[in-house]
Each structure stands twice: as C-alpha cells, then as structure tokens.
Amino acid sequence: MRENKGIFDNIDWITLGLYLVLVLMGWANIYAAVYSEEHQSITDLSQQYGKQMLFIASSLILGLLVLSIDGRLYDNLAYFLYGLTVVLLVLVLVAGKEVNGARSWFAIGGFTLQPSEFAKFSTALALARFLSTRGVTVLKWKYRWVALALFLVPGLIILPQPDAGSFLVYLAFFFVLFREGLPGIYLWMGFGAIVLFLLSLLLPQMWLLSGIALIAALAIYFNRKKKGFWLGAAAVALVAAGVVTSVDYAFNNLLEDRHRNRINILLGKAHDPKGIGYNTTQSLIAIGSGGFKGKGFKQGTQTKFNFVPEQSTDFIFCTIGEEWGFVGSVVVVGLFVALLSRLVMMAERQKSAFSRIYGYGVISILFIHFFVNIAMALGLAPVIGIPLPFFSYGGSSLWGFTLLLFIFLRLDAYRMQIL
Amino acid sequence: MLQNRRYFFYFLFAVTGIVFAVRLFYIQILDDQYKLSAENNVVRIIREFPPRGMVYDRNGKLLVANQVAYDLMVVPQQVKGLDTSSLAFLLEISTDELRGRLKRSRSYSRYKPTAVSRQLMGKMLTHLQEELFRFPGFFIQKRTLRTYPYPLAANVVGSVGEVNEAFIKRNPKYQMGDLVGVSGLEKSYETELRGEAGVKRIMVDVHNREKGSFAQGSYDTAAVPGAVITSTLDFDLQVYGEQLMQGKRGSIVAIEPATGEILALVTSPNFDPNLLVGQQRGNAYAQLLADSISKPLYDRALLAEYPPGSPFKLVNALIGLQTGAITPQSAFSCHHGFHFGSLTVACHCSGGTMALEEGIYKSCNNYFCTTYKRIIEAFPSAHEGMDQWSKMVKSFGLGQYLNNDLPTGRKGFVPDADYFDRAFGNTYWRAVSTISMGIGQGELVVTPVQLANVAAIIGNRGWYITPHIVKEINNQPHPNPRFREKQYTLVDSVHFPVVVEGMYQVFERGTAAGSKLPGLTMCGKTGTAENPHGQDHSIFLAFAPKANPKIAIAIFVENGYWGSRWAAPIASLMMEKYITQQVTRPALEKRMIEGSLEAEYQRQLTNPGPLKKKK
C-alpha cells in the first residue's frame, strides 16, 4: 500500500480536465448570453457572469476540500448527509423563499441556496451505501422497495415545490438499479410505459385500447399451444390498458395547465409560437440561426436581446447553438458524451461496490440533466426547467454538481488503497 | 455478467449524442427558416427618409422648407398581446378607431410597416416613446413634411401628396407613406427634389428596445438629400404682384427677357400652400376644389386662355414689316373704324391719318385691320397668306406649348387656313373674312405666360429663351440646354425698333400715359379683350427699360374693363418695383391694392351675360 502523498495523487485528470473545460465554457456563454454594453467586464459582480465567476471559484475550493477528505468518510457520512438534506427539503417547503412561483430556495443573507441541488449527491451516496451493504441485492423485492424509497422520497418531497424537473432527475436512479442487477424487463417496461404514455396522448383512447386488445388477441392466437401464455398476455394487456386510461385521466385531471400545454406543444397538437410554445420556438430559432459556424462570441441576437427566456440557466444551450453553431454544439454534446463514458469506465474499475454504485449515481444524474436539458432546447422534450450541468448559471447547481463529481473523483483516487 | 451492462450505458450515450447531432444538423444546416426568423425577430428595417430638396428664390430667400414629423408605424405580424385600449388612450383616439386602423394595416400587409397615426407631436409623442416597449410591433418613424415660410406662390411651388398603391405599382422606388410632388415645381422637379431614401437596419430586443445597428451598419445606406433648387422667382416681386392682384381675378407673368427666367408668376385668387400639408391636406384640397367660382387651384397664369386683344397688334405690325405689307411710314386714315363693304370694325382712336408708330400708341383698329388685310393679300392666295401669317405668329411662341418646366400649360390657339376651311365650311374666304385676327380677337387665344414671352421677344428685338421657373439645381446652372438657347422669330430684328418706339409712346402719350413714370423708359401696350361673360378683360403687355430690358410683363385682369384701368398701372408698378426696388407712387399703389372687382364678379353670378360692349 502506497503512502497518500497529496490530494491530486491518482486523480483522474481526464475527468477533472473535462470538468474545467465545461465550467469555463459555461462561464463564457453566460457572459455572452447576458452581456450588455454597460457592463462589459466579465468580472463585474453586479452581473450574472461576475457572480458565476465567484461560484466557479468557490466550487473549485469546495472541490479541493472534497479531494482532501479521506474517501472513507463519505461512506460513513452517507446516511447522515442524506437525512440532513431530506430534512432541508421538508424545511424549504415551509420556510423557503418563493422565486418565480417555486418555493425551492433558502435565503441566507444575500445568497440563496437550493437544497434540491444538494439532495442529488446525498441521495446517490445513500443509495450507494445501501446497495453496497453486504447481503443487499436488487434481485430481492424487500431490498428493491428500500432502494426505491431512498430516491423516490426526496423526489416526491421536491415535486410540490413545484419542481417536476427535479422529480424526473430522481427517476434516473433506476439506471443505477439496472446496473446493479434489476432485470432488464423493468427498463423495457419503463420505455414501454413512456411510449404508451406518448401514444395515449397522441391517439384517441379507444383506438389505443382496441389496438392493445387486437395485439393481445393475435399474440394469444399464435401462441395458443403454449401453456398459460394467455394468462400472461392478458395480464400485460390489462396493465397496458390501465396505463392508457390512467395517463388519460392523469393528463386531463392531475396535470397543471402549463404542463399540459407544454406537452401538447411538443406533440405538435397545439401550434402557438407566440404563446406557451414561445420558449421552444425562440430556442429553436436561436440554435437554428447559428448555422454551421455560429454567429460568433457575443454576436447572438436571440440570446443577447432576451428573445430566449432563461438564456443563462435552463436555455444556456441556445447561446452555444447560436454563437458557436453546429461545430460548437456538437463539441459540447461530444464533451458530455466523453465525460459520461469516462465516468462509466471509471465506475467499472472501482474495487468497492460503494464507489461503483455511487459512480453510477453520478452518471445517471448527469445524463438525465444533459439529456433533458438539450432535448428541451432542441424541441425534442417538453420544457422542463432543469440546468445543464456545469454550464448553467447558478451557485447551488454548480456546487451540487461539483460535490457530486468530486466525491466520485476522490473515491476513484482512493480505489488503489482498497485491497 | 452485470459488468456487461456498462455497454448499455455506452450505447445510450452514443445514441443520445447522435440524435442530438442529427437534430442540430437538421435545424442549423438544413433548415433555413430559423435564420430568417432570427433576423425577423431582431432586425427592424427603418427607411431613412431623405430630406426633400429646399426651394429658394433667385436671391436666396427660402420658399419651401421641411419640418420634422413623427409617425407611429406598425408591423402587424409582430404585434402580440396588444393592449388596444391603452394604446388608443395614448393616441387620443377611440378603441374602435384604433382597431379599424390596425385592420386596414393588416389588410395592406402583415409584414410591411404601415402608419397607424401620423404627425405625432409634443406630449403625445413623448408619452408614446416612453411606453413603446409595451407595444411590440410598433415603432416611431421620423419623416419630413413640407413647410412654406411664406404663404406665397402656391401655384408655382405646388404641393406634395402621399403616394397611393396604384402609383407605387408604376413607380417601385416609392413606398407607402412616401411623398410625391403632385403640382407645381414639386411635380416637375420631383426627381431632383426627392433625393434617395436610405435604409437603416437596427436591432431590437424582445421588449422592442433599440439595441444598435445590425451587422455594424454594413447593410445600411445613407439617405441622399434632395437637390437644392433655386427658382427664378423674385420673392419681393412675387409678393408685390400677389398684393396688387388681391380682390381681382387674373394673372401676372414677369420674365427677364435676356434669360427667359420667370420673375413672377402670379395667379389670383391664390391660397396658402401650407394648407396642403399634412393631415389637413385632404380637407383643404376638397374645399379649394369646391370653390368652382373663383377657382383658386386654377393657375390662370399658365392655364387661362384669353383673346390677346390689342397687344397682338404688335405682332401683326412686325409681320407686316417683315412681309413688306407695310413700312414704318405706311399711313392709313381712320374714320371711326375699319370699313369694308358691309363690314365695320369700330375704332375709338381720335381718327385721322397716322403712320405705324402712332397707330400703335393710339391702338387704332383700322390701322391693324388694314395691315392684317395687306399681309394676307401679299400672298397669291388667302390660304397661302393665312398659313404664312400663322407660321410667323407661331414663331412668337404662340399657339403651341412653350415647354417650360412647370407641369401644366396650354397651347393657346393660332388658326391657319385649314382651320378656316373647316370653320367656314368653304374654301373661298378672303382676308377680310378673318379680319378680327388683325386686332387679336376672335379665334385667337393665348395664355398669360405666352403673352409675357411676346413682351420679352419685343424687348429682345426678335428672340426669346423658353421661359422657365428654375434657375439653378444644387447651385449649378439649369442642366437643360433648352433654357439657354435663343429661339428666333421669323421677323428680322431690324423691324423691331419702330414697334418698340410705338410702345414707348404708349406711356408717353398713348393709352397708358396715366401709368407713366419719369426716369424709367417703359414700353407697353394696353389691351381690352371682349369676353362673353361680363366686362371686358383688362390686358397689358410691357417691358422696361426700353434700351436694355430687365423685365417683360403681361397682365390679365378679368373683367377689368379696359387695359389702362387696371392692367397698365399694375404693370407700371411691378416694373418700377423690380427695377428701382421702390415705389414712388403710393396713391396709385394704394388704389391698385385696394381696388376690388368683387362687385363685378358677384354681378356675374346673379346676372350672367355681358353688361355692355366696349371696344
């Protein structure tokens, strides 16, 4: 066993490098997105880019701090941190500050903190801790329930803030369960449910139900020699029918108007470029007008002149698309794919289950943010307000993602010390 | 092996990356609509109106200038979430009115800007500018309107109007809301005065606030201002002429003989050209047009055709001398008129035997009827004589368009043999059949500007330069060489002095002796033209000074009785004013300015028809 000499020993420089590149690109794009003639300095603290500089600096300090702590500590602190953030999530519902209709922030002095950003890494820690416990396996239902509860509970607490986006993030932990042995059928069922969900929004309910019945009947007919097949097929058909009817009910009765509208726009059922679909339209215009090479740094008219809403946070990708064009956009997508792949590689080389599972937690969270955020900007997903990791403006989210990633970096560096 | 599930993740990331890249490729490279949308979002094309050219008088006095006005424009396609009632409140119009205007804008074009409200001023404009960010799709456009520092010469300067759709179709350079000259100088010098519109592309943000120029202004073009036009008009003379003509219908045309430059072009009654500017234009125009009695929109100086009367005797004298029909010494006896068989043309000269000079200053009808008869009879046939006479008369610029640089005009009429064949229905008419030509009556008609040109010809002793109203464009001499070319009449210059002498005697001892001014050698000829509606027209033709004329003038005062009553004194005052820059006869001036023929005009309205005949 080697001596632990410094905090950068055994660190994965590729990941660290990708992190730094993404963070700095994000800063530059925030600067370009909200740039104004009156405040030209990128370090102007009255502007978002000036504040982001502080957030980046503090994140780096936070990262160094994380790296300097003994890796074993995270294993031990997992439940404590999890418990702490769950309490904070409950507290914020009661004592939080309301911004834009969402009660997601604690106001401390001049700063605001968003506990849901920190709950992501603590949930990943807790899930890793639980699943790495000797004897725990996702193949057994009694453990599955606990694992599910571990990540669905914070998700459900966040939901009424309201923050449907964050809830979606917590669903990503299913990927972790999958990697740890959850049968693939559940993942396929998940995809199937999403397809059915979309179909049930697009097609009249009667058509779908008839279609399901027809497919089930045909399947049973062709497999009539198989003993007991009809029972299983009927059960699947029933569940599918149940999904269809409940989606219909949920869509029309449970969802709020704004969500319903957003989904309708996305499905092309309502064309309303100046209304609810305004965000998506302007986002597409911004990205589409970038062309191959883009309009150049600070030359994006869509973002600079505020045609794109939330251009420094949820729609930061528009600035990339508009000012850096196809080239820049593909580079950014490529950097994320590279980072995620690198993290999978790293997760797989872990000797401890805890580190590996935590690694997959990190991957799942980063992926769902990356996927939903860019898909939304490109008009492939409904408008769901979640940030693009490392890019979007905001202290809480940058700190949250930094903690998430750097804990894994620390665990990875520490892997050599585990025999 | 669960480790193999890692490949699911690699696969998932790869698929996501590819889907994003394909989508990006599609919207950023294949599909152009987003680029256009982005430009539409952010770029406003502002037309930079060129300031229309200014017009000065010959001495640099500003006659036509510009004033700034602000219009509220709308691009209907960009309007969203319009608060109609608060915009209507700001514009101080009713909501329904605003809705109507917006509807009209939409039906014209959804993408091109149209004006919602014109000529905003003062507080309304300031408030609107402050609140404009609340009304996406609306913007304020600066434009210039005409303004006339002096309510003067409306017939000369003309007016501008807004182009309509039909006009734009024919002239694609213009756009809705552009102004175009519709009369006077504004019309005939439209190309010069218009200038070239510039285009400015500015960027606006989502709140419709200006954010600087698009692409550093590389697509912008500057507006080229219209040319500065220096008119030939003499401001003081024009003012004085309009003053003298008030209360009378008629016209004054004054020309500088050496150059053909029109010094004054007065038509009466006239109107303030400022009436035809801006929003009030439509109503004011309709009112002026509706005045079918005094017809203020009718430029009598250019359009009215009158029999020239006695001044035409000068032309006959010159043709007679040229053709050898008479010599300066030819003497005819007048016995109260010209008698030929049963035909009599009465004459009010004192009678007796007189030579040409006396015939002119006494305006003897007999003398010129005889001259005319001799001219026609100097040729083998009456037809040939008629045609030769007609040709020579036309060489004085009569019976044809002068082709000056004003947009309206009339040919007048000089008959020829063909005409009389048709008029008489036979071909065996003789000189005496058309004897009224001898004294400028009958079929012969001229416009005041033509008659002024005849005065210039006599002053020049045989030539003229086409009368024109513009002297310089952008301080360069008029580019049209036509306005520098001498046009010679068919009468040699040697024949002119005796006629000039006769005209001089008109002031010295003839019909205009009352208008004589010591110290200024003026030459003139009175005229009294019959007209079927009422009193005869008072006509005067003159130039001064005799040796080297600076001004030639023709005056018509409708129903002004006889030439020496109105036209001659007015001409005399005008020439004095122009040449000496002062007026030494205040009593005469007062009588002329205050004199009014309104009573006669009223009488014609209630009791049409001639009151009495006078010759």
Side-chain angles (χ1 to χ4, degrees), chain B residues 508-550:
Chain B
E508 293 302 311
R509 57 174 100 168
T511 46
S515 302
K516 181 185 168 178
L517 177 69
L520 183 60
T521 52
M522 299 191 283
C523 304
K525 181 74 196 79
T526 53
T528 303
E530 291 176 20
N531 105 79
H533 306 295
Q535 283 296 350
D536 296 343
H537 296 326
S538 172
I539 304 171
F540 199 72
L541 168 159
F543 62 85
K546 181 181 167 192
N548 187 16
K550 292 271 175 282

Side-chain angles (χ1 to χ4, degrees), chain A residues 178 182 282 302 305 326 378, chain B residues 5 23 28 41-42 206:
Chain A
F178 170 69
L182 191 71
Q282 295 300 338
Q302 279 289 101
F305 299 147
F326 179 69
L378 295 178
Chain B
R5 290 200 169 174
R23 175 71 172 166
Q28 292 188 308
N41 261 347
V42 79
V206 69

Side-chain angles (χ1 to χ4, degrees), chain A residues 284-295:
Chain A
L284 281 175
I285 290 172
I287 297 169
S289 65
F292 183 70
K293 281 161 68 185
K295 296 176 186 171

Side-chain angles (χ1 to χ4, degrees), chain B residues 286-570:
Chain B
Q287 266 182 23
L288 290 170
L289 197 65
D291 186 353
S292 60
I293 296 155
S294 54
K295 295 201 253 185
L297 288 174
Y298 179 63
D299 188 351
R300 290 171 160 82
L302 299 176
L303 297 174
E305 293 172 302
Y306 309 98
S310 303
F312 190 73
K313 291 170 182 167
L314 303 169
V315 177
N316 271 333
L318 289 165
I319 295 172
L321 291 168
Q322 178 70 23
T323 54
I326 57 166
T327 66
Q329 288 72 41
S330 302
F332 308 118
S333 300
C334 178
H335 306 284
H336 309 293
F338 173 79
H339 309 283
F340 189 87
S342 60
L343 177 81
T344 296
V345 177
C347 181
H348 301 281
C349 76
S350 51
T353 304
M354 60 193 98
L356 178 57
E357 202 182 298
E358 194 178 349
I360 291 173
Y361 72 72
K362 285 191 169 167
S363 197
C364 176
N365 283 348
N366 172 57
Y367 196 96
F368 291 98
C369 287
T370 311
T371 303
Y372 174 74
K373 182 165 170 285
R374 283 195 174 200
I375 294 168
I376 303 299
E377 287 172 354
F379 292 91
S381 73
H383 281 80
E384 205 182 327
M386 188 71 221
D387 280 341
Q388 285 302 321
W389 174 84
S390 179
K391 215 169 105 189
M392 289 173 122
V393 171
K394 283 177 180 164
S395 77
F396 281 78
L398 303 177
Q400 60 196 326
Y401 290 118
L402 279 173
N403 276 327
N404 59 23
D405 52 349
L406 281 166
T408 52
R410 286 292 183 138
K411 280 167 96 167
F413 184 65
V414 176
D416 57 10
D418 279 352
Y419 171 82
F420 284 114
D421 283 350
R422 284 196 306 276
F424 290 121
N426 61 51
T427 55
Y428 33 88
W429 47 271
R430 289 170 300 156
V432 287
S433 316
T434 60
I435 200 69
S436 58
M437 298 297 117
I439 55 167
Q441 297 284 357
E443 289 82 355
L444 196 71
V445 285
V446 302
T447 62
V449 68
Q450 284 176 330
L451 202 64
N453 192 38
V454 169
I457 290 168
I458 301 172
N460 287 335
R461 277 67 166 173
W463 55 268
Y464 68 95
I465 288 173
T466 306
H468 52 279
I469 198 74
V470 167
K471 191 176 162 70
E472 290 171 352
I473 296 172
N474 276 337
N475 298 316
Q476 298 299 311
H478 200 297
N480 194 336
R482 218 158 43 79
F483 299 136
R484 286 188 292 275
E485 261 168 36
K486 286 182 181 176
Q487 313 277 335
Y488 284 89
T489 61
L490 295 174
V491 176
D492 298 334
S493 58
V494 294
H495 301 302
F496 281 85
V498 62
V499 174
V500 171
E501 189 57 35
M503 289 171 73
Y504 174 64
Q505 295 300 336
V506 168
F507 278 100
E508 293 302 311
R509 57 174 100 168
T511 46
S515 302
K516 181 185 168 178
L517 177 69
L520 183 60
T521 52
M522 299 191 283
C523 304
K525 181 74 196 79
T526 53
T528 303
E530 291 176 20
N531 105 79
H533 306 295
Q535 283 296 350
D536 296 343
H537 296 326
S538 172
I539 304 171
F540 199 72
L541 168 159
F543 62 85
K546 181 181 167 192
N548 187 16
K550 292 271 175 282
I551 178 170
I553 196 164
I555 295 179
F556 281 80
V557 178
E558 288 182 15
N559 313 112
Y561 301 84
W562 51 92
S564 55
R565 182 156 164 176
W566 295 108
I570 288 174

